[in-house]
Amino acid sequence: MRSAPRANPYRDAWAGDLDADRAGSAARVSGWVHNRRDHGGLIFVDLRDRSGIVQLVFHPENGAEQFAAAERLRAEYVISVAGGVVRREAGQVNPNLATGEIEIQVREMALLAESQTPPFPLDSDVELDEMLRLRNRTLDLRRRSMVDALVLRHEVVRTIRETLSDEDFLEIETPILTKSTPEGARDFLVPSRLQPGSFYALPQSPQLFKQLLMVAGYERYFQIARCFRDEDLRADRQPEFTQLDLEMSFVEEDDVIDVNERLMAKVFAVGGLDIQAPPYPRMGYEEAMLRFGSDRPDTRFGLEITDVSEHLRASEFKVFASVLNRAHPPGVVRAINAGAREVPRKELDELTEVAKRAGAGGLVWAFVQEDGSWRSPIAKFLSNEEIGGLTTALDASAGDLLLAVADKADVAANALGTLRLDLANRWDLVPEGRHDVLWVVDFPMFALNEDEDRWDASHHPFTAPTAPDGNTAAALAAAESPGRWKSRAYDLVVDGWELGGGSIRIHDPAVQSLVFDAIGLDAAEAELRFGFLLEALRFGAPPHGGIAFGIDRIVALLAGLPSIRDVIAFPKTASGSDPLTGAPAQVDARQLRELGLRSTAP
Ligand code: ASP
């Protein structure tokens, strides 16, 4: 319960806290006119402050002047009123309002500010165009749904701060004007005026600084950190976003996971999320890719993927044979049993499009018939034995729709993984109110970058790798290729969203050099870009590891909102602009001159 505000000429109570216990006393409240209704000689005003809404009643007998002023009130005027708190008549009680049993009989009113007519109503939850909302964010933020989201966000951050402080973590700030800290995205650059031609980069994350703090002996660090990534914006990304960033020394995977499970259980409880208690299940990357076609599997519904290559090795059907007999990279045939459904031809074509957009060459479909045969364009190319084998492998029975992709393993996984999500959406397969949490572990250290013919770190290049024979520099060097290295990384996935990810880090400079080498950074360039890290590692670095969680996503999940923009006070649009301030914007020529810059933009 909030404590009452200090009494002053504006208020001595919060509007939303007045209840039947206060009946018979006097109260003074301030806020915005939520709406006004004139009823047979009486005027009713819903007064809104951050805490909620209270109903005001203006009687002509309580002062003609004040009543006349009330007649002039419009939505969003700011007023302060004083009067008696009285119980409403039985028929007038509003059970939907915390203050619904009482109202204030106004005796005094001060008009503090007028308002133009808002471009949209603030007293109803109508769907509004998002551009309109962002352009008028100050007004949009007055709406109850936004207040609720930002209050929840505050509670989440407060829980994080309290829990981690109790666990002996120190909150330490790291720089915003810094040098490139790679997380795989493009940097935002800030030109230096004092050193023309030089640039700061905004941090993609505090990754390197938190590692330096570990080398410096701070043992347990956290920060509610703003991160900046100049990516081509996808639907629910923001160029700046907030992470809970943390790091610990002298730890292994289980230590980091343990603290964070306990923390997350508390965070989930803040939002009243019905989700399993720790320890959370763990799933290997390969299993996740195989069964769910994604490294952030949504396990709330079935439609799991099965590899059926074994049943088709001898197939004479060209599409399967050519994929399965390819030596490099080896191909697979994988399939989903989509269950017994009437799916018209047109929808099958749509599903094929989904698979194709996700990279597959095509999609094979088949309906299992009463006699075990298939109704499918490819049925005539398969032997009865093959059809029987596939039907059994997919645990299919009469009426079931089977969907298969033949391709490289990663393409097949991605296509069927995308298709799974599409089907769940299309057929509404996620059970209402269900939430699933799990860790994904055992990631490959690198992914092959075919365009540039080199390895890219799957997590980031400061993640500790392991080779089949251990994780020393010698064991890593002995592995036949860095493609065989795994990483000591872990991701926390909820409902198919990656809420957080981290890893045990490299603390041996020789291993760090091996990783730089594998991603194509030669020693000179590594020294130039990350010399400060390599140097720190040479001065006694403890084994350490950490994680970062996306606060925006966590709050959106807890609030049950589809977009992170609804839990950020001042977000940007999908094209990275802010319709409220007009950012990004041109600057004047003098500012550019001072920075030694000239624009070549058309
Ligand atoms: N810095 C990583 C990220 O932002 C998280 C971590 O490894 O702790 O994704």
Side-chain angles (χ1 to χ4, degrees):
M1 190 66 184
R2 274 171 287 266
S3 44
R6 178 175 181 276
N8 70 9
Y10 296 119
R11 58 159 53 124
D12 57 23
W14 301 115
D17 288 351
L18 294 172
D19 57 16
D21 290 347
R22 288 286 301 260
S25 69
R28 185 179 289 274
V29 289
S30 280
W32 287 260
V33 173
H34 197 56
N35 57 44
R36 192 198 80 197
R37 301 165 318 270
D38 296 7
H39 277 305
L42 294 183
I43 295 173
F44 293 92
V45 166
D46 280 346
L47 180 86
R48 184 190 72 240
D49 69 11
R50 199 186 85 195
S51 66
I53 284 175
V54 69
Q55 177 165 291
L56 312 178
V57 197
F58 294 83
H59 283 274
E61 312 82 271
N62 286 344
E65 200 180 309
Q66 174 249 99
F67 189 81
E71 280 184 312
R72 288 192 296 273
L73 292 178
R74 298 271 177 280
E76 301 311 308
Y77 278 27
V78 183
I79 57 176
S80 171
V81 300
V85 179
V86 299
R87 278 182 188 275
R88 298 193 197 179
E89 281 168 37
Q92 309 298 320
V93 167
N94 179 353
N96 300 324
L97 204 61
T99 62
E101 282 183 274
I102 55 100
E103 58 197 14
I104 298 181
Q105 306 264 356
V106 177
R107 280 192 306 270
E108 269 174 48
M109 176 178 87
L111 175 62
L112 303 176
E114 296 186 350
S115 169
Q116 294 180 7
T117 305
F120 45 80
L122 304 183
D123 63 342
S124 71
D125 250 340
V126 287
E127 279 280 328
L128 294 171
D129 171 59
E130 196 177 29
M131 272 310 270
L132 183 69
R133 290 177 55 198
L134 293 180
R135 169 75 193 79
N136 299 280
R137 191 61 158 180
T138 316
L139 297 174
D140 188 40
L141 285 169
R142 288 184 186 168
R143 301 202 306 155
R144 192 71 235 169
S145 52
M146 282 306 313
V147 177
D148 288 345
L150 294 183
V151 168
L152 176 65
R153 187 180 177 112
H154 165 77
E155 291 301 335
V156 165
V157 171
R158 185 233 282 270
T159 301
I160 290 171
R161 287 209 157 99
E162 286 175 358
T163 307
L164 291 179
S165 305
D166 290 347
E167 299 262 4
D168 247 356
F169 284 78
L170 297 178
E171 184 168 4
I172 302 176
E173 287 160 278
T174 54
I176 294 293
L177 294 178
T178 180
K179 202 171 154 177
S180 185
T181 50
E183 295 284 354
R186 205 174 272 127
D187 288 321
F188 279 104
L189 298 176
V190 179
S192 159
R193 179 181 58 84
L194 296 177
Q195 292 170 46
S198 292
F199 294 81
Y200 301 98
L202 302 183
Q204 292 184 33
S205 88
Q207 183 61 36
L208 295 177
F209 290 104
K210 68 176 170 177
Q211 291 192 238
L212 297 183
L213 287 169
M214 294 306 105
V215 182
Y218 284 82
E219 303 261 359
R220 290 179 166 218
Y221 139 97
F222 82 99
Q223 181 177 195
I224 307 295
R226 198 65 67 81
C227 303
F228 305 85
R229 297 183 192 177
D230 188 5
E231 290 175 292
D232 293 329
L233 296 168
R234 275 178 262 154
D236 207 23
R237 290 277 178 95
Q238 287 281 305
E240 57 178 302
F241 58 93
T242 309
Q243 279 187 348
L244 160 62
D245 191 50
L246 71 82
E247 197 75 7
M248 312 165 72
S249 292
F250 302 107
V251 290
E252 299 194 317
E253 288 86 333
D254 284 343
D255 302 299
V256 181
I257 285 180
D258 174 62
V259 170
N260 284 288
E261 284 185 342
R262 282 184 286 119
L263 170 64
M264 281 302 137
K266 288 191 189 165
V267 167
F268 294 150
V270 167
L273 202 71
D274 185 10
I275 200 165
Q276 88 166 84
Y280 301 145
R282 298 184 197 178
M283 189 185 293
Y285 169 86
E286 270 170 33
E287 183 182 341
M289 293 306 288
L290 192 62
R291 290 173 54 198
F292 300 96
S294 168
D295 59 1
R296 43 190 168 85
D298 190 341
T299 52
R300 293 174 299 169
F301 58 95
L303 300 186
E304 286 192 25
I305 302 165
T306 304
D307 193 303
V308 293
S309 310
E310 276 323 305
H311 302 274
L312 296 165
R313 289 268 172 243
S315 178
E316 285 170 14
F317 177 40
K318 274 215 225 73
V319 174
F320 291 164
S322 66
V323 164
L324 291 172
N325 297 332
R326 187 161 64 195
H328 187 80
V332 298
V333 181
R334 291 188 186 163
I336 288 177
N337 178 352
R341 280 180 194 275
E342 283 303 324
V343 180
R345 188 52 207 251
K346 180 169 151 284
E347 196 169 4
L348 290 169
D349 290 343
E350 284 169 22
L351 299 181
T352 305
E353 266 318 298
V354 171
K356 282 186 172 168
R357 270 199 308 267
L363 182 69
V364 170
W365 57 263
F367 288 95
V368 181
Q369 311 197 86
E370 284 302 334
D371 63 359
S373 66
W374 282 7
R375 178 165 66 80
S376 165
I378 68 154
K380 58 176 175 288
F381 302 112
L382 299 181
S383 68
N384 287 342
E385 211 186 11
E386 283 161 349
I387 289 186
L390 292 180
T391 307
T392 311
L394 292 166
D395 199 14
S397 41
D400 285 354
L401 165 62
L402 312 180
L403 300 166
V405 168
D407 220 307
K408 289 190 297 184
D410 56 341
V411 174
N414 185 45
L416 288 170
T418 307
L419 196 63
R420 246 191 111 239
L421 298 180
D422 180 278
L423 296 177
N425 211 357
R426 202 177 269 270
W427 298 335
D428 213 6
L429 300 180
V430 178
E432 182 70 29
R434 165 144 182 195
H435 298 287
D436 273 9
V437 56
L438 72 144
W439 294 99
V440 177
V441 296
D442 290 332
F443 286 86
M445 179 70 191
F446 297 111
L448 190 62
N449 183 329
E450 286 174 51
D451 298 340
E452 297 185 21
D453 192 24
R454 62 175 161 80
W455 298 105
D456 282 340
S458 310
H459 201 66
H460 52 57
F462 316 106
T463 298
T466 57
D469 293 329
N471 50 23
T472 60
L476 289 159
E480 114 206 20
S481 142
R484 302 283 303 277
W485 299 356
K486 295 217 164 165
S487 79
R488 298 180 67 186
Y490 31 77
D491 279 358
L492 188 74
V493 175
V494 173
D495 301 349
W497 279 13
E498 184 198 323
L499 284 196
S503 58
I504 300 301
R505 324 297 184 186
I506 297 167
H507 73 285
D508 174 350
V511 172
Q512 188 63 73
S513 297
L514 278 179
V515 170
F516 284 152
D517 190 52
I519 62 173
L521 269 190
D522 64 34
E525 195 170 347
E527 205 53 58
L528 197 69
R529 290 181 56 192
F530 304 117
F532 62 101
L533 174 73
L534 290 169
E535 187 175 294
L537 294 182
R538 288 183 206 115
F539 281 95
H544 60 288
I547 195 164
F549 292 94
I551 302 256
D552 308 302
R553 281 209 180 154
I554 290 176
V555 180
L557 170 78
L558 296 184
L561 292 169
S563 164
I564 62 170
R565 291 188 294 274
D566 284 333
V567 300
I568 298 174
F570 298 105
K572 306 217 169 20
T573 62
S575 59
S577 52
D578 174 7
L580 177 67
T581 61
Q586 311 251 323
V587 295
D588 61 44
R590 188 178 50 89
Q591 274 175 298
L592 286 182
R593 251 193 327 276
E594 276 179 351
L595 294 166
L597 297 178
R598 195 179 308 128
S599 171
T600 60

